[in-house]
Amino acid sequence: MTRFVCLLLFVMLLSFTYAAITPTSPLSIGQTLNSSDGVYQLGFFSPNNTQNQYVGIWFKGIIPRVVVWVANREKPVTDSTANLAITSKGNLLLFSGKDGIVWSSGETFASNGSHAELSDSGSLIVVDKVSGRILWQSFDHLGDTLLHSSFLMYNLVTGEKRVVTSWKSYTDPSPGDFVGEITPQVPSQGFIMRGLRPYWRSGPWAKTRFTGVPLMDESYTSTFSLHQDVNGSGYLSFFQRRYKISRIILTPEGSMKIFRYNGTNWELYYEAPLANSCHIYGVCGPFGLCVSSVPPKCKCFKGFVPKSIDEWKRGNWTSGCVRRTELLCQGNSTGEDVNVFHPVANIKPPDSYEFANSLNAEECYQSCFHNCSCLAFSYISGIGCLVWNHDLMDAVQFSAGGELLSIRLARSELDGNKRKKTIVASTVSLTLFVILGLASFGFWRCRLEDNAHILKDAWRNELKPQDVPGLDFFEMNTIQTATNNFSLSNKLGQGGFGSVYKGKLQDGKEIAVKRLSSSSGQGKEEFMNEIVLISKLQHTNLVRILGCCIEGEERLLIYEFMLNKSLDTFIFGRFETKQQAWETWGENGGTDLLDQGVAYSCRPLEVERCVHIGLLCVQHQPADRPNTLELLSMLTTTSDLPSPKQPTFVAQTRNEEFMAMGLTTVSKMTDSVILGR
């Protein structure tokens, strides 16, 4: 029984919670030191349940344990007799029976003695015994975590710098690859560094927010406070009034996370940077603009082009962009070569900015305009005027929020537009016009799709079988397949009516497809008249119409295909050129064109009229040729005919050698084919 009581007292002694560490009462393994409010606790811990022991601070009573500071993060102890002690001069020492002094806080030179305690803010402090002055505190030697009363800082005079450093891994508290800090720029901004290279950037501070964090718009109630003074010092702290327990941690992967405790669980309030996103510093290189998306999309600012197109095609954008048109800048110039500024909205301000003393946005513009080294400017609420004299690096375009950045460009890049106000007004007008246009187009397309099949059936119904015997109605996909989707290699020619394509149906039959142009001026009635007329015209030397295709706005006529030769072979076969035919018609009305075997049965006036009509049908300009209805009227009446113009091109000798050499100026569909305009 006595042994049991002694053992119980020994265990209670080991687990005794200290109020302070004094020169006569060090902290041993198994003992803890609590803050007076019971929120924080200091003691020995092992992050991976091994023999490695560290002295650290964590939140008391929260499981799993969340460690916020480690003393000996680079050198664990493995001796069960290790303890944390304090000297009379205020120096904290971590002893190991095997290795001696493993860690030390450094001399503080307290003359009257001192002790160490854990403050309610979560900082281990060394306090002078008499004056109560804090001689040393763990907040001056941050680990990977910021608490409410701790802060990042810099001091240009003393060279002091306070940063957070990530753990190497979640089970290894030794310093990792990432460091979080604030810069001495005016205004300051937050950085996560990976070694010597920037990894993430917050954007410049604007009184209550970081301009590179879209969450922090002007309505945002900031949890941060950043102060810079004229003596070259800056301090960044954070405080969440609604949450007593919260923290900012820099993870081993380089992510800055803000957590807050709701009494049961940790809530992730904010995280940056996100992997594979525009958060990563300089992902689009100099003068590149990262459009906020996942995965990120890079583009060049207006007036710039990719420095290496091959690399950009491969998705490597880090080489950035270069200016397309070099600047011709003279600070007081007002001529044609004067530069202009192009505004870009929703921008995370690029890095390497400089603060300029300007009263308003106009002064900011003028100060940059009259300085040829100034490449861009931005007037930001809460900051004032920022200018850029170096490459624009790490610029991001958000879907909402951000700032307005104006970039200097050669005037030619904006096609003669004058001031940025004019550009903005034009852009707004154009945007409204496009929106209205798209809305109208969408309504039209909807109406068109609803009525397309009705129109198609209506046109078919108006073409009576007795009017067009043997006429087939083709489906559009059949014609597209036959012409290889109206390929240029299948194109036979083009006129005012539209284009003609050669095709082959699935049964091997060759066809010629006339695709009417929307500018041909031919309406529904003229189109149906042409179908009826041509279907009734039969001649051994005229191509025969096989059918038509009507789908939506498309109107197609399908003819049988006749290779190379047609009626003009017989009309103009005795002459080498149409020019000679013109001369013969001028001399005797064209009667010499008749075969003498049939000349006796023809009337000279009728022959002259037919040749006259033929010359009109082969006019060089489509507008000078009669359409189908006009041609029908000419052939069936004795009305006066317009005078034809002299032919302006020559039909080459029609032997196969010349045709194969491609020297003829006419297409495979010859001029005698009756194709209405």
Side-chain angles (χ1 to χ4, degrees):
M1 184 66 178
T2 304
R3 288 184 177 181
F4 176 78
V5 173
C6 292
L7 180 61
L8 181 61
L9 290 173
F10 178 75
V11 172
M12 291 176 64
L13 179 64
L14 289 177
S15 60
F16 180 77
T17 301
Y18 274 48
I21 301 173
T22 67
T24 59
S25 56
L27 186 74
S28 301
I29 293 178
Q31 298 174 328
T32 57
L33 180 67
N34 292 343
S35 61
S36 62
D37 62 0
V39 175
Y40 298 98
Q41 192 170 65
L42 178 141
F44 287 83
F45 76 99
S46 176
N48 53 358
N49 295 321
T50 66
Q51 291 183 345
N52 292 336
Q53 294 285 331
Y54 299 87
V55 174
I57 301 173
W58 54 83
F59 293 102
K60 182 181 179 181
I62 296 179
I63 300 175
R65 177 183 290 165
V66 176
V67 177
V68 297
W69 182 80
V70 180
N72 56 321
R73 60 186 303 186
E74 297 185 63
K75 192 172 182 180
V77 296
T78 58
D79 186 0
S80 61
T81 63
N83 64 78
L84 181 64
I86 188 170
T87 68
S88 59
K89 293 184 178 181
N91 186 11
L92 283 170
L93 299 174
L94 177 59
F95 287 101
S96 171
K98 294 180 180 180
D99 303 317
I101 299 176
V102 175
W103 174 84
S104 171
S105 64
E107 295 286 349
T108 58
F109 300 101
S111 59
N112 300 312
S114 60
H115 69 272
E117 64 183 57
L118 188 58
S119 71
D120 289 345
S121 60
S123 179
L124 176 62
I125 58 177
V126 175
V127 183
D128 183 81
K129 185 177 181 180
V130 177
S131 67
R133 183 169 58 92
I134 295 177
L135 306 174
W136 179 94
Q137 61 178 346
S138 61
F139 276 0
D140 292 341
H141 309 274
L142 298 173
D144 66 340
T145 302
L146 273 183
L147 298 175
H148 277 177
S149 298
S150 59
F151 50 84
L152 302 178
M153 59 87 66
Y154 68 86
N155 188 314
L156 297 179
V157 177
T158 64
E160 183 182 0
K161 195 174 186 180
R162 196 172 299 171
V163 301
V164 290
T165 308
S166 67
W167 285 21
K168 183 166 289 186
S169 71
Y170 287 98
T171 58
D172 184 357
S174 60
D177 296 332
F178 298 94
V179 173
E181 62 185 26
I182 59 172
T183 67
Q185 295 168 273
V186 178
S188 182
Q189 58 182 340
F191 263 93
I192 296 177
M193 304 294 292
R194 188 172 194 173
L196 299 177
R197 298 174 63 88
Y199 182 68
W200 174 82
R201 186 178 62 90
S202 68
W205 176 257
K207 285 190 176 179
T208 60
R209 61 192 177 94
F210 286 111
T211 55
V213 180
L215 173 69
M216 299 183 182
D217 56 22
E218 293 184 356
S219 64
Y220 171 75
T221 302
S222 181
T223 60
F224 292 93
S225 177
L226 195 153
H227 299 280
Q228 292 177 280
D229 59 37
V230 295
N231 298 320
S233 297
Y235 304 85
L236 173 69
S237 61
F238 93 106
F239 182 78
Q240 291 194 321
R241 292 177 176 83
R242 294 175 54 193
Y243 293 86
K244 182 178 180 181
I245 300 178
S246 59
R247 60 192 170 99
I248 299 178
I249 180 174
L250 181 58
T251 70
E253 301 88 5
S255 181
M256 187 76 74
K257 295 183 178 181
I258 302 178
F259 286 101
R260 52 196 188 188
Y261 191 68
N262 60 16
T264 305
N265 300 301
W266 289 102
E267 298 176 351
L268 178 61
Y269 176 65
Y270 179 74
E271 177 182 3
L274 298 175
N276 194 29
S277 72
C278 287
H279 289 187
I280 306 302
Y281 184 91
V283 66
C284 296
F287 297 106
L289 181 61
C290 190
V291 180
S292 188
S293 61
V294 177
K297 298 178 182 178
C298 287
K299 66 179 183 179
C300 294
F301 279 110
K302 182 177 180 64
F304 294 80
V305 294
K307 184 176 181 180
S308 174
I309 296 178
D310 291 337
E311 289 185 7
W312 274 58
K313 288 181 179 179
R314 292 195 296 266
N316 180 11
W317 305 304
T318 55
S319 60
C321 306
V322 293
R323 193 178 292 277
R324 177 166 43 206
T325 305
E326 290 301 319
L327 298 174
L328 296 176
C329 178
Q330 296 178 353
N332 296 319
S333 175
T334 58
E336 295 182 357
D337 293 333
V338 68
N339 301 149
V340 293
F341 284 89
H342 173 64
V344 188
N346 307 119
I347 297 297
K348 171 185 178 180
D351 196 10
S352 303
Y353 52 82
E354 296 179 21
F355 180 75
N357 287 314
S358 298
L359 295 178
N360 51 47
E362 180 61 23
E363 284 191 8
C364 187
Y365 160 74
Q366 292 293 341
S367 67
C368 188
F369 176 75
H370 293 293
N371 179 5
C372 289
S373 63
C374 181
L375 303 180
F377 74 91
S378 180
Y379 193 84
I380 301 174
S381 175
I383 295 178
C385 182
L386 296 182
V387 296
W388 284 262
N389 297 320
H390 305 284
D391 292 353
L392 303 184
M393 177 64 79
D394 193 41
V396 178
Q397 187 168 46
F398 304 122
S399 57
E403 310 300 330
L404 185 68
L405 180 71
S406 297
I407 303 173
R408 185 189 291 270
L409 296 176
R411 177 176 291 275
S412 60
E413 291 291 347
L414 295 185
D415 298 325
N417 288 344
K418 295 183 179 179
R419 297 291 294 276
K420 57 187 177 71
K421 294 181 181 179
T422 304
I423 298 171
V424 173
S426 301
T427 303
V428 172
S429 300
L430 180 60
T431 301
L432 292 175
F433 176 78
V434 169
I435 292 173
L436 292 175
L438 289 175
S440 301
F441 178 76
F443 177 75
W444 175 78
R445 287 295 299 174
C446 183
R447 290 283 303 274
L448 183 64
E449 292 175 0
D450 289 341
N451 297 329
H453 68 281
I454 299 176
L455 291 174
K456 183 177 179 180
D457 292 340
W459 282 47
R460 287 189 177 186
N461 294 335
E462 291 190 32
L463 292 173
K464 299 178 181 179
Q466 60 268 28
D467 293 333
V468 285
L471 188 71
D472 290 329
F473 289 94
F474 291 85
E475 297 296 332
M476 176 58 74
N477 58 356
T478 301
I479 302 304
Q480 288 176 325
T481 302
T483 61
N484 193 22
N485 201 22
F486 300 102
S487 170
L488 286 177
S489 61
N490 287 49
K491 192 171 183 178
L492 298 173
Q494 182 172 342
F497 58 84
S499 302
V500 177
Y501 298 85
K502 180 182 178 181
K504 180 178 286 188
L505 299 175
Q506 290 185 346
D507 60 5
K509 187 181 182 71
E510 291 186 320
I511 58 173
V513 180
K514 183 173 80 169
R515 189 182 193 185
L516 294 182
S517 168
S518 59
S519 61
S520 64
Q522 191 178 65
K524 170 184 172 184
E525 184 176 352
E526 291 89 339
F527 179 69
M528 290 195 298
N529 287 339
E530 180 174 357
I531 295 175
V532 173
L533 173 63
I534 299 178
S535 65
K536 291 182 177 181
L537 289 176
Q538 300 293 329
H539 191 282
T540 57
N541 293 306
L542 292 177
V543 292
R544 184 170 62 90
I545 189 169
L546 301 177
C548 63
C549 176
I550 306 164
E551 187 165 314
E553 293 295 308
E554 290 280 7
R555 287 171 289 163
L556 310 176
L557 292 175
I558 294 86
Y559 297 87
E560 64 179 354
F561 179 75
M562 183 176 291
L563 181 63
N564 291 337
K565 306 223 176 188
S566 186
L567 187 60
D568 70 332
T569 303
F570 299 93
I571 295 178
F572 300 122
R574 294 176 57 195
F575 300 93
E576 293 181 357
T577 67
K578 293 177 183 177
Q579 183 67 28
Q580 292 172 313
W582 163 265
E583 294 174 353
T584 302
W585 174 77
E587 293 175 358
N588 52 35
T591 55
D592 288 346
L593 298 173
L594 282 174
D595 189 302
Q596 294 303 314
V598 296
Y600 70 93
S601 63
C602 297
R603 298 178 183 178
L605 289 179
E606 291 180 350
V607 172
E608 180 179 358
R609 186 175 184 85
C610 287
V611 175
H612 191 156
I613 294 172
L615 288 171
L616 289 173
C617 289
V618 296
Q619 291 292 290
H620 181 64
Q621 295 295 331
D624 296 331
R625 305 171 196 160
N627 60 31
T628 304
L629 294 180
E630 292 171 338
L631 178 62
L632 182 63
S633 176
M634 292 177 184
L635 291 172
T636 58
T637 67
T638 58
S639 59
D640 293 338
L641 301 177
S643 298
K645 298 178 182 178
Q646 185 174 357
T648 58
F649 63 94
V650 177
Q652 302 289 345
T653 304
R654 295 182 175 272
N655 59 64
E656 296 300 323
E657 177 184 359
F658 274 66
M659 296 298 288
M661 293 173 61
L663 297 178
T664 180
T665 60
V666 296
S667 67
K668 293 181 180 179
M669 292 296 293
T670 57
D671 296 320
S672 62
V673 178
I674 299 179
L675 298 178
R677 293 189 295 114

